[in-house]
Amino acid sequence: MPERVNYWGIPHEWGPPELYVYTIMFLAGFIMLFRFYKQASLWWKVGRPEPRWDKLHIRFWKFIQYAIVQTKVLNERYPGVMHVTIAWAYFIFFLGTALATIHDHFFEFLFGNALFAYKFVLDIFTVVFLVGAGMAIYRRYAQKPKRLTLDPGFTRSLVMVTVIVIGGLLTESFRLAVDQPAWAWSSPAGWIVAQLWIAIGASDTSLINWHLGIWTFHLLTVAGTIITLPVGTLLHGLTGPLNMFFAKLDRPTGELAPIPLTAAGDQVFASKLSDLTWKQLLDGDACTECGRCQDACPAYAAGTPLNPKELILSIRDALRADAAAVIGGNGDTPDSPTLVGDKIKEEVLWSCTTCGACVDVCPVLIEHVDTIVDMRRYLVMEGAIDAELQGALANLGRYGNSFGKSDRMRARWAKGVDPKIKDAGREPVDYLWFVGDYASYSPTLTEITQQTADVFQKADLDFGILYKGENHAGNDVRRVGEEGLFEMLVEKNLKALSRSDFKTIVTTDPHSYNALKHEYASNGNGEWHVLHYSQLLDQLIASGQIKFSKKLGYKVTYHDPCYLGRYNGIYDAPRRVIEATGCEIVEMPRNRDKGLCCGAGGGRIWMEEGEVTERPSESRIHEAVALNGVDIFVVACPKDITMYADAVKTTGQEENIVVKDLIELVHEAM
Amino acid sequence: MTHILVTAKLVPDLVEELEIAESGTALDMTWLRLIINEFDDHAIEQAIILKERSGCEVTVIAPDQEGMDDVLFTAAAKGADRIIKLVGDFEEGVNNHALARTLAASTKEIGPDLILTGVQGNDDFDGSVGPYLAEYLGMTYVGYVAGVTLEGDKAIVHKEYPGGLIAELEVTLPAVLGIQAAEQPPRYVAVSKVRQMMKEASIDEVDVLDLDPSGGLEISSMYLPEAAERAEMLDGDEEEIAARLVEIFKEIGVV
């Protein structure tokens, strides 16, 4: 009966092999943990406390989903397969080693069929690993994607993990070449390599000597890899899973945290390392430098100074460079190293559209946008904002809208609407229509806003608006970092809303939708049911309240607004509405959660543009016109009308594509 | 330490449509929204810049008008050390003679080394505040100033003239300067900072019993501009146009 042979061919003259193998491995493990602790302790020594220990069952599930199964890693095919083959192989090798230890010392079970299965699985994963390593070599030296960090540190790691596996395979092959047991087929990879030694006619003595040499080398490379793990690029194997485990669970992605307070109750604005939480510092150490965020970032693609990957790595590098000074200087001396304005430039922070694409694609769940907004909050407190943004914020503070127009003019668009739209502040309505700034004030949108009213009226919807009681919802004010102004706007809107009698809020603006849905509830006064108009239209069509008299028959494409799609997962309702009007949707390559930002979010629409190579909105229009036969670009966000109408002009595509709001299709088909 | 006093006032916000009151001699205050006089905002900014640069003490003084508290707290949030509100019958609006007399009385008590005020305001019917204030205080006045540097008991000021000319003048303090523009645009103050100031800072109130508008204009009638086609475009080359202009001037009797 086949049985597992321990320390085959290892001379016992030096004492029992267990003794020095375990001594070396325990020492390596100890050094590794010590070094890791040294690095990890910086997170809480430098960073501020933040509770992330709640809902442990969900945290464990996240760990399994993202660290073990690696679903996010697998979202991209080539790098996904490349990474999981390497990672899963190592999980199996680790498990195999653990099982062998159990077999040796606690419970013997590796014989007969169990041993065959054990050997077979480990051998297969050796091959699986080699496939992954081959893909990694090809990616790093042939494909060389721009987003990848081609640093020698990564090469060292790849060499180390490959040498370990090849060492194991060779060790096995020498043993099999000497023993040539009847069950050698259960280690197919090892057996194939063994054929080579048999073929060249190596003597048993040579094979046993080679075996000893390679076995020792294998042992030492494993120990060396473990020892260097916390100081090399393999660190992500520890920090990545930790980052997933401690990912935020207390709020949806669409809700930002309020300004944090110190124990003494002072507000913290993030300008230095010590203003960040331990989790934000962990984000830096968890970054694998895969560059997916860089690929997904509209600001990076537009040629702005922002690269989300570099931003997160700046935090990591700052921690490594300045942690000692921060800890030594208690962190708060005037000359303690700064982060914002120094290692992270202001224009980098202002370039972000808060579209959330980086957060969405990050395989280790780094929370870029929250950190960017934290740092913007500091800049706002310092008054370090550009003139255009300053003007917009001053207008928002004074008039409740960014246009700098009188609040009495907010419902001017409704003047021509007949019958007159109810004032939800005066009479009860089923639906309170929160119109939003752009739909209310932008002259180019007046007709669309009026059409929305017309559709609601034709559908016999009992609705009203707040007239001058409505203020900007504050979504992007908050994302600019002007938290005080955001709170003021929320107070004003809550006052108007609390005086109104309604069942549901409906808005055409995804930004208002996001704020009203996620960021007003936490500001007291209960929760409302909030609908985006695409959802309401979808319901009205399903219930038969909206009936269409014709099929439009257009071939269109649909642009997912960030705050509707990625932030709130509403992808299907607008598409169903478009299809109900008899249009055919041709998807752009970047659709749904991969939808490209128009470039206006996060307050970017109020800021000076700065230098760009190609605006995100222009890139989007190019993407749309490349589709076969599509001549309508459908949007479901008032700002998108402005952004894309401009982009169509600047790209000179007026002849090829026209931008339409969802409501225009519905209105036309009714 | 140089003590700078800034005077500020609120003026009609032109985002609202202006309406004439029933009396026909003033704006209808019920529909009026007030905003800080843009030039006074620059005067405050210039004072804060001087404070940051030379360590001055800054006091802002302003009449009690609707919304003035916010303006004063904003000034405090920017760095003003003391904020003073003149409490009296300002709600219906006062002319600049009355305002300047009141400011002069308070200024004598405060005893500043330098007074900054906006060079003009959109409701200046009877001239701007600065020159009157200087006159009542017996101080030097320089208007249209865009840039101030302090050197001991002197101020080096940049005065703007039409046609892009800038003069550098040395003014012995105390003096009144009419600010055209601060060296940088007025800064943004985060709302939470202003709110914080509302909790921490307090506005000193000075009671004003009499307002003396004498010397100002008597408004007999106020009306919105009437649309009319009175413009005549002159065609031709320079010589022809000049000749025709002289003709017209003679016709209407101005030359």
Side-chain angles (χ1 to χ4, degrees):
Chain A
M1 170 130 152
E3 219 178 304
R4 186 180 145 78
V5 186
N6 245 337
Y7 303 110
W8 181 94
I10 307 303
H12 282 55
E13 292 88 76
W14 309 337
E18 287 102 327
L19 190 67
Y20 52 84
V21 168
Y22 286 136
T23 307
I24 290 172
M25 294 315 280
F26 271 109
L27 265 176
F30 180 78
I31 294 170
M32 188 271 277
L33 285 176
F34 177 76
R35 288 175 135 184
F36 180 58
Y37 176 82
K38 249 181 81 179
Q39 179 60 31
S41 62
L42 298 180
W43 305 331
W44 60 85
K45 279 183 187 159
V46 172
R48 291 186 302 104
E50 183 191 11
R52 293 256 179 154
W53 286 101
D54 57 325
K55 300 176 191 151
L56 285 178
H57 58 293
I58 302 178
R59 296 193 180 282
F60 278 116
W61 172 241
K62 285 213 163 202
F63 173 78
I64 305 236
Q65 190 183 358
Y66 297 120
I68 306 295
V69 186
Q70 306 190 350
T71 51
K72 283 244 178 189
V73 177
L74 281 166
N75 275 344
E76 283 191 25
R77 198 173 296 158
Y78 187 97
V81 169
M82 177 201 88
H83 188 269
V84 298
T85 46
I86 294 173
W88 288 348
Y90 264 86
F91 295 159
I92 295 292
F93 299 152
F94 191 77
L95 193 70
T97 311
L99 288 177
T101 310
I102 290 170
H103 170 88
D104 287 353
H105 302 287
F106 304 102
F107 176 73
E108 292 193 5
F109 65 100
L110 289 174
F111 39 72
N113 289 337
L115 183 64
F116 292 155
Y118 173 86
K119 284 186 167 300
F120 187 74
V121 169
L122 282 174
D123 232 49
I124 289 304
F125 271 93
T126 304
V127 179
V128 167
F129 170 87
L130 291 173
V131 170
M135 289 174 81
I137 290 165
Y138 184 72
R139 184 167 175 76
R140 195 152 283 278
Y141 300 102
Q143 284 186 337
K144 290 188 193 169
K146 191 171 167 235
R147 73 185 197 192
L148 220 54
T149 309
L150 295 170
D151 181 90
F154 289 96
T155 308
R156 264 199 301 279
S157 296
L158 184 55
V159 168
M160 288 293 250
V161 292
T162 310
V163 163
I164 288 173
V165 175
I166 290 175
L169 181 65
L170 288 179
T171 308
E172 179 181 59
S173 71
F174 293 134
R175 175 165 48 78
L176 291 175
V178 175
D179 274 6
Q180 302 190 18
W183 55 85
W185 53 266
S186 65
S187 302
W191 188 227
I192 288 168
V193 181
Q195 297 312 308
L196 182 66
W197 316 133
I198 296 167
I200 62 169
S203 71
D204 281 3
T205 323
S206 325
L207 286 172
I208 289 171
N209 281 339
W210 292 352
H211 175 273
L212 180 61
I214 295 293
W215 180 86
T216 311
F217 179 68
H218 179 63
L219 176 69
L220 293 178
T221 46
V222 170
T225 304
I226 290 174
I227 289 168
T228 54
L229 191 140
V231 293
T233 60
L234 289 174
L235 175 66
H236 79 275
L238 298 173
T239 50
L242 279 176
N243 211 46
M244 299 162 196
F245 184 83
F246 289 115
K248 73 174 167 201
L249 297 177
D250 58 333
R251 55 201 157 89
T253 41
E255 184 189 338
L256 289 172
I259 293 175
L261 301 175
T262 61
D266 297 324
Q267 292 187 319
V268 180
F269 298 98
S271 70
K272 312 185 293 294
L273 273 177
S274 54
D275 299 325
L276 299 177
T277 71
W278 65 270
K279 174 60 180 59
Q280 287 173 310
L281 299 177
L282 169 56
D283 271 352
D285 273 332
C287 179
T288 65
E289 307 188 40
C290 71
R292 292 184 190 204
C293 53
Q294 176 181 319
D295 268 4
C297 179
Y300 177 78
T304 74
L306 171 63
N307 177 342
K309 173 176 134 177
E310 295 301 331
L311 174 91
I312 294 300
L313 292 177
S314 316
I315 296 175
R316 180 194 73 183
D317 294 345
L319 184 69
R320 293 193 180 165
D322 301 332
V326 175
I327 296 166
N330 290 327
D332 273 334
T333 50
D335 52 330
S336 65
T338 53
L339 194 58
V340 176
D342 181 14
K343 296 197 168 68
I344 298 175
K345 300 284 179 226
E346 293 175 15
E347 53 274 24
V348 166
L349 298 170
W350 290 125
S351 299
C352 176
T353 68
T354 71
C355 76
C358 52
V359 180
D360 194 65
V361 296
C362 181
V364 295
L365 313 188
I366 288 169
E367 295 153 9
H368 315 63
V369 174
D370 292 19
T371 299
I372 290 175
V373 173
D374 277 350
M375 293 177 176
R376 282 181 171 188
R377 285 170 171 170
Y378 164 75
L379 293 175
V380 169
M381 284 307 276
E382 292 294 301
I385 58 178
D386 75 47
E388 281 186 34
L389 179 58
Q390 173 168 350
L393 293 180
N395 285 335
L396 283 157
R398 188 164 167 80
Y399 310 108
N401 67 75
S402 60
F403 287 78
K405 290 191 182 164
S406 168
D407 48 3
R408 285 192 274 269
M409 305 289 271
R410 183 172 274 275
R412 194 186 164 98
W413 63 268
K415 250 187 168 172
V417 178
D418 186 48
K420 188 177 182 298
I421 299 173
K422 281 186 185 176
D423 183 346
R426 293 171 197 265
E427 47 187 324
V429 291
D430 285 345
Y431 291 92
L432 187 148
W433 177 12
F434 196 97
V435 187
D437 269 22
Y438 266 77
S440 298
Y441 285 106
S442 173
T444 49
L445 289 166
T446 305
E447 202 179 322
I448 289 170
T449 312
Q450 287 168 344
Q451 280 188 14
T452 311
D454 196 34
V455 169
F456 286 172
Q457 287 180 338
K458 283 182 179 149
D460 279 330
L461 201 72
D462 178 26
F463 73 101
I465 59 176
L466 289 171
Y467 286 88
K468 61 172 279 201
E470 183 185 303
N471 278 267
H472 184 274
N475 191 70
D476 301 84
V477 171
R478 193 171 210 201
R479 276 146 191 89
V480 156
E482 187 21 321
E483 187 75 1
L485 179 56
F486 167 71
E487 285 168 6
M488 195 172 98
L489 292 167
V490 170
E491 278 168 31
K492 286 182 179 175
N493 279 321
L494 282 179
K495 209 166 134 192
L497 289 169
S498 64
R499 278 200 300 251
S500 311
D501 183 358
F502 61 92
K503 295 192 182 85
T504 305
I505 296 179
V506 61
T507 177
T508 58
D509 175 22
H511 298 248
S512 302
Y513 173 85
N514 185 68
L516 290 165
K517 190 177 171 78
H518 299 302
E519 302 195 310
Y520 274 50
S522 62
N523 287 286
N525 212 41
E527 289 179 34
W528 318 279
H529 193 46
V530 188
L531 286 180
H532 185 248
Y533 75 135
S534 61
Q535 295 174 295
L536 178 63
L537 293 171
D538 186 35
Q539 289 175 10
L540 293 173
I541 292 166
S543 69
Q545 269 176 278
I546 289 181
K547 287 193 187 66
F548 294 120
S549 63
K550 56 181 172 235
K551 293 250 167 238
L552 297 180
Y554 303 139
K555 214 168 170 186
V556 308
T557 191
Y558 170 71
H559 165 75
D560 288 284
C562 307
Y563 279 92
L564 191 65
R566 215 162 15 244
Y567 274 98
N568 287 294
I570 301 168
Y571 299 112
D572 296 325
R575 287 178 168 80
R576 276 196 297 269
V577 172
I578 293 169
E579 278 166 356
T581 64
C583 293
E584 184 200 340
I585 303 176
V586 183
E587 294 287 357
M588 286 180 276
R590 293 175 283 190
N591 64 68
R592 299 176 78 95
D593 59 333
K594 300 279 174 288
L596 180 72
C597 175
C598 73
R604 284 291 306 155
I605 202 163
W606 301 321
M607 298 175 205
E608 285 159 17
E609 188 175 35
E611 295 233 338
V612 291
T613 46
E614 184 187 39
R615 296 185 186 98
S617 54
E618 294 171 344
S619 161
R620 194 62 160 161
I621 290 299
H622 283 137
E623 188 178 358
V625 294
L627 299 172
N628 202 5
V630 168
D631 44 22
I632 298 179
F633 186 90
V634 183
V635 298
C637 168
K639 283 196 254 288
D640 278 336
I641 292 280
T642 318
M643 295 299 290
Y644 289 116
D646 281 353
V648 166
K649 278 186 211 133
T650 54
T651 53
Q653 297 290 347
E654 292 104 320
E655 302 291 309
N656 302 322
I657 203 153
V658 57
V659 181
K660 273 187 197 279
D661 192 280
L662 184 62
I663 206 74
E664 293 182 88
L665 294 181
V666 173
H667 194 258
E668 191 183 341
M670 276 175 93
Chain B
M1 188 163 43
T2 313
H3 184 179
I4 303 174
L5 179 73
V6 185
T7 76
K9 67 171 179 174
L10 303 184
V11 296
D13 186 342
L14 301 179
V15 303
E16 303 291 350
E17 281 173 28
L18 300 180
E19 286 183 34
I20 309 295
E22 268 181 40
S23 67
T25 58
L27 292 171
D28 186 347
M29 297 302 285
T30 51
W31 289 105
L32 213 57
R33 188 206 291 260
L34 296 175
I35 188 169
I36 184 170
N37 175 22
E38 191 192 338
F39 298 96
D40 290 343
D41 206 15
H42 277 266
I44 293 172
E45 181 63 33
Q46 184 62 56
I48 302 298
I49 292 170
L50 289 173
K51 177 181 172 171
E52 286 169 350
R53 206 158 58 203
S54 324
C56 310
E57 186 188 340
V58 173
T59 303
V60 178
I61 188 165
D64 187 12
Q65 291 167 284
E66 195 187 335
M68 186 54 93
D69 286 9
D70 283 356
V71 169
L72 288 174
F73 283 124
T74 304
K78 287 178 181 176
D81 302 285
R82 193 179 165 205
I83 44 181
I84 305 172
K85 189 165 72 176
L86 299 169
V87 181
D89 196 15
F90 293 100
E91 284 295 321
E92 288 301 311
V94 294
N95 71 13
N96 282 344
H97 282 77
L99 182 59
R101 283 192 183 100
T102 311
L103 287 169
S106 300
T107 304
K108 279 177 191 156
E109 284 176 29
I110 298 164
D113 306 299
L114 176 65
I115 301 162
L116 302 185
T117 179
V119 70
Q120 62 192 38
N122 67 17
D123 65 347
D124 287 348
F125 293 112
D126 56 337
S128 53
V129 174
Y132 296 135
L133 187 55
E135 172 66 20
Y136 299 143
L137 291 168
M139 291 184 190
T140 314
Y141 174 78
V142 182
Y144 300 95
V145 169
V148 184
T149 314
L150 293 174
E151 278 177 16
D153 66 343
K154 295 202 166 49
I156 312 296
V157 305
H158 286 219
K159 180 180 163 84
E160 288 192 351
Y161 288 95
L165 286 178
I166 294 176
E168 195 179 89
L169 307 172
E170 189 184 88
V171 184
T172 307
L173 302 182
V176 180
L177 302 179
I179 301 293
Q180 162 85 11
E183 286 161 43
Q184 64 185 37
R187 65 195 66 194
Y188 184 76
V189 204
V191 169
S192 61
K193 268 191 171 174
V194 179
R195 288 191 164 187
Q196 188 69 20
M197 270 301 150
M198 289 178 178
K199 286 184 208 147
E200 288 171 5
S202 61
I203 298 177
D204 294 343
E205 297 192 354
V206 174
D207 287 325
V208 176
L209 301 175
D210 291 320
L211 285 165
D212 175 7
S214 60
L217 293 175
E218 187 119 332
I219 296 169
S220 54
S221 160
M222 193 183 270
Y223 55 92
L224 295 171
E226 288 164 358
E229 291 180 26
R230 293 201 187 106
E232 184 189 336
M233 301 304 288
L234 303 180
D235 296 320
D237 62 26
E238 288 170 12
E239 293 285 327
E240 287 165 16
I241 291 174
R244 176 77 189 113
L245 266 179
V246 173
E247 238 172 77
I248 293 171
F249 289 158
K250 280 182 181 159
E251 277 168 30
I252 58 175
V254 293
V255 286

